Amino acid sequence: MDQEFDNYGFDTLAIRAGQQRTAEGEHSEPIFPTSSYVFASAAEAAARFSGAQPGNIYSRFTNPTVRTFEQRLAALEGGAACVATASGMSAILATCLGLLKQGDHLVSSRAVFGTTTVLFSTYLARCGIETSYVPLADLDAWKAAIKPNTRMLFIETPSNPLSELGDIRALADLAHAHGCLLVVDNCFCTPALQRPLELGADIVIHSATKYLDGQGRCIGGAVVGDAERVGKEVFGFLRTCGPTLSPFNAWVFLKGLETLSLRMRAHSANALALATWLEAHPAVTRVYYPGLPSHPQHALAKAQQRDFGGIVSFDVRGGQAAAWRVIDATRILSITANLGDVKSTITHPATTTHGRLTPEQRADAGIGDGLVRVAVGLEDIADIRADLARGLD
Ligand SMILES: *Cc1c(COP(=O)(O)O)cnc(C)c1O
């Protein structure tokens, strides 16, 4: 699945893109902890404020460290513009409020991050923006959900926790045929494994908190896309409403991007080994991982992703009690809902991330009582396997 994305290869861009050395000649990117910038004269200040002269004014909207992160991520996703934000949630908020207005309609896949659903159904609804939810993989349901006032289709692929896939190219074509934008939350794959813009999507969202950081340290997010929608409209929202990424967090994410490709390959290799082992275990009734030939969308995963990512979910025979036994028997894996960390994490979706759904809604979403999700980290695979074997055996 390897391919050359640009004049420079992906790994070169991940390490080099966006850096502008200062007169100090520093090798590593500097952190600029400054809230404002000084002008040489009153006339220069006036020119900056009027927009006649480009340059920094105030770190709510531009900061050199944040800009380096934005330019590097834009290069990796193949977008013309990137706006960094304080969190993944504020990236989604900035995209929606930057590009939608009262009376608009949004169609989202049902299987999106829980807080994203709350943002759409509670806060966007208060602004008069209505959301419909459809099953991610059902193209006919997407077609049927589009109305004359639909402006945006929103997906995460692969989905959490069941690793269903959305066909990005087919959904982009559908969106464009109806004058809509396709927005893809690329948190699970990152550009190292999937480049939605290349497949026709208009906007990519990131929770940088996850794999872009990669070591569970900072909260942040980003929006990537074209110069008009992202560079002007989403940036305009950020500049005015202020969910700004701090320069320190931007610097941590920059360091994360430098090893992104290596980490995503290692996460994928560990996850495939774990999924293959789980599938053969008698206490496991089903494994959800796009890298397994038994996954119903394995061919689509191979076509639109460079590898299969680090999230593996599985059903344990014996329901909630058995699933909790597996979780409680672990000694290395962290019982926490975060993901995208070098440390492996384990969760029971039915009583945590999806605990607020009714039993019927959970059954509808395919979240069984015996379901366990592992975000596979970079520890030795033999130790991860042994940690799970303790409860499963
Ligand atoms: C975590 C997450 C978010 C929200 O990101 P924060 O950085 O926690 O605000 C959005 N989408 C997905 C898929 C996530 O996993």
Side-chain angles (χ1 to χ4, degrees):
M1 280 184 269
D2 259 13
Q3 63 200 101
E4 181 86 13
F5 288 129
D6 270 294
N7 294 337
Y8 283 119
F10 186 89
D11 292 342
T12 306
L13 294 172
I15 291 167
R16 298 277 180 180
Q19 184 173 11
Q20 280 191 313
R21 285 205 179 96
T22 73
E24 300 291 347
E26 71 283 348
H27 191 206
S28 178
E29 298 78 355
I31 308 176
F32 284 89
T34 180
S35 34
S36 73
Y37 302 84
V38 177
F39 312 111
S41 65
E44 186 178 270
R48 290 271 175 91
F49 272 82
S50 74
Q53 185 194 83
N56 296 312
I57 298 174
Y58 192 55
S59 282
R60 188 192 321 115
F61 41 101
T62 66
N63 175 280
T65 313
V66 175
R67 187 185 312 120
T68 304
F69 168 66
E70 290 171 335
Q71 292 184 351
R72 191 167 295 177
L73 185 59
L76 297 182
E77 287 286 6
C82 172
V83 172
T85 55
S87 66
M89 289 318 303
S90 54
I92 299 172
L93 178 70
T95 301
C96 292
L97 292 190
L99 298 170
L100 300 175
K101 61 179 191 319
Q102 184 180 13
D104 286 348
H105 175 245
L106 164 72
V107 185
S108 168
S109 57
R110 197 172 279 151
V112 290
F113 187 63
T115 313
T116 304
T117 311
V118 179
L119 170 65
F120 291 163
S121 296
T122 304
Y123 295 99
L124 288 192
R126 279 188 202 167
C127 303
I129 299 163
E130 187 208 354
T131 306
S132 306
Y133 297 93
V134 298
L136 175 60
D138 184 348
L139 206 56
D140 289 332
W142 285 94
K143 274 184 201 146
I146 293 176
K147 308 194 227 183
N149 61 335
T150 306
R151 294 284 170 268
M152 189 182 280
L153 311 186
F154 186 99
I155 64 167
E156 275 168 36
T157 179
S159 72
N160 180 20
L162 295 179
S163 291
E164 249 193 318
L165 268 66
D167 185 330
I168 296 174
R169 192 173 299 279
L171 286 168
D173 289 346
L174 179 68
H176 299 155
H178 293 85
C180 304
L181 300 173
L182 177 65
V183 178
V184 178
D185 183 332
N186 202 24
C187 171
F188 276 42
C189 276
T190 83
L193 304 188
Q194 173 171 276
R195 304 223 309 171
L197 300 179
E198 210 164 61
L199 297 168
D202 301 285
I203 290 176
V204 168
I205 303 265
H206 277 286
S207 167
T209 314
K210 314 291 167 52
Y211 288 107
L212 302 193
D213 176 336
Q215 295 182 55
R217 298 163 292 197
C218 292
I219 303 282
V223 184
V224 188
D226 63 57
E228 178 63 28
R229 295 189 193 96
V230 174
K232 273 176 74 176
E233 301 298 337
V234 177
F235 176 72
F237 176 87
L238 176 97
R239 177 178 179 138
T240 305
C241 302
T244 306
L245 182 65
S246 85
F248 177 78
N249 288 10
W251 181 82
V252 171
F253 299 146
L254 268 175
K255 297 293 113 183
L257 289 180
E258 292 176 357
T259 58
L260 180 67
S261 184
L262 276 174
R263 285 186 289 106
M264 293 313 291
R265 250 176 277 158
H267 279 292
S268 299
N270 262 2
L272 181 60
L274 185 70
T276 305
W277 174 78
L278 284 167
E279 201 167 41
H281 197 288
V284 173
T285 55
R286 184 164 173 193
V287 181
Y288 306 84
Y289 185 64
L292 292 174
S294 60
H295 189 284
Q297 294 168 296
H298 181 58
L300 176 61
K302 277 207 287 201
Q304 76 179 15
Q305 300 177 202
R306 296 173 92 187
D307 212 329
F308 306 108
I311 312 294
V312 177
S313 295
F314 55 98
D315 287 318
V316 182
R317 201 182 297 285
Q320 177 177 324
W324 280 21
R325 252 193 323 273
V326 171
I327 292 169
D328 290 341
T330 59
R331 292 176 196 159
I332 305 172
L333 271 58
S334 316
I335 306 175
T336 174
N338 197 32
L339 60 95
D341 196 310
V342 292
K343 295 181 168 73
S344 295
T345 65
I346 188 164
T347 43
H348 183 242
T351 52
T352 58
T353 50
H354 295 70
R356 278 185 291 176
L357 302 184
T358 64
E360 296 75 48
Q361 286 172 321
R362 265 202 301 280
D364 225 28
I367 314 285
D369 290 336
L371 186 74
V372 173
R373 188 197 74 186
V374 176
V376 186
L378 303 187
E379 301 95 339
D380 285 291
I381 183 62
D383 294 330
I384 299 172
R385 250 188 330 240
D387 217 32
L388 290 167
R390 206 172 298 117
L392 286 171
D393 294 347

